[in-house]
Amino acid sequence: MPRTPQIARLAGLSYLGIIAFGITAELALRGPLIAAGAQAITENATLWRLSIGADLVMATLDITLALLLFTLFRPVSEGMARAALVLRLVQMTIVAAHLPLLAEALGSATPMALIDRHAAGYDLGLWFFGLNSLVMAWLLHRATAPRLLSGLVGAAGLVYLFGSATRFIAPEVNEAMQPAYLVPLLAELGFALWLLRGARQLTK
């Protein structure tokens, strides 16, 4: 597969873009406004809309990445690569479908209720991303990627699944486990950097 390094690097760039735009939307732009309250959101409508735009870019890159990863890992196991593709697309479909709630929040008398519904939808999407991560961990292991990487991606999948489940079943546990999301961040950064190196250990 002579094109594997090029496809892998494009996937790595897409992954870094997802991480960058996701952090920008949720933590840099939207997070401070939500913490400040409904009035801050109204007074900073441009920043709020920019956060939605960043989410749209993230969603577009996620679809791109899903297709690139399917192309890369199809020779390892076509069935599992297809499962990973479907799960990632389901996750992003759910996340994107809840974005209009953020737009509605700007003109709403009760914006926090809409924001909470968006957050719940995001966590619902992460359930499927957790399943995707477990499948990707298996594919990485079979592809002879570094064991630390496949282990981290698998651990990230468990964090996502536990986080999504507790969001709906045990909110107090969900709040206490938030520091565990450092594991997915490290896993996804590691995955992106490995792809940027050309994924030369993709096949035996």
Side-chain angles (χ1 to χ4, degrees), residues 102-121:
L102 295 178
E104 291 177 32
L106 274 177
S108 172
T110 56
M112 292 305 175
L114 292 167
I115 292 167
D116 285 343
R117 285 175 59 193
H118 167 265

Side-chain angles (χ1 to χ4, degrees), residues 137-149:
W138 186 89
L139 286 167
L140 285 164
H141 179 72
R142 286 291 299 273
T144 67
R147 288 193 176 185
L148 177 60
L149 177 60

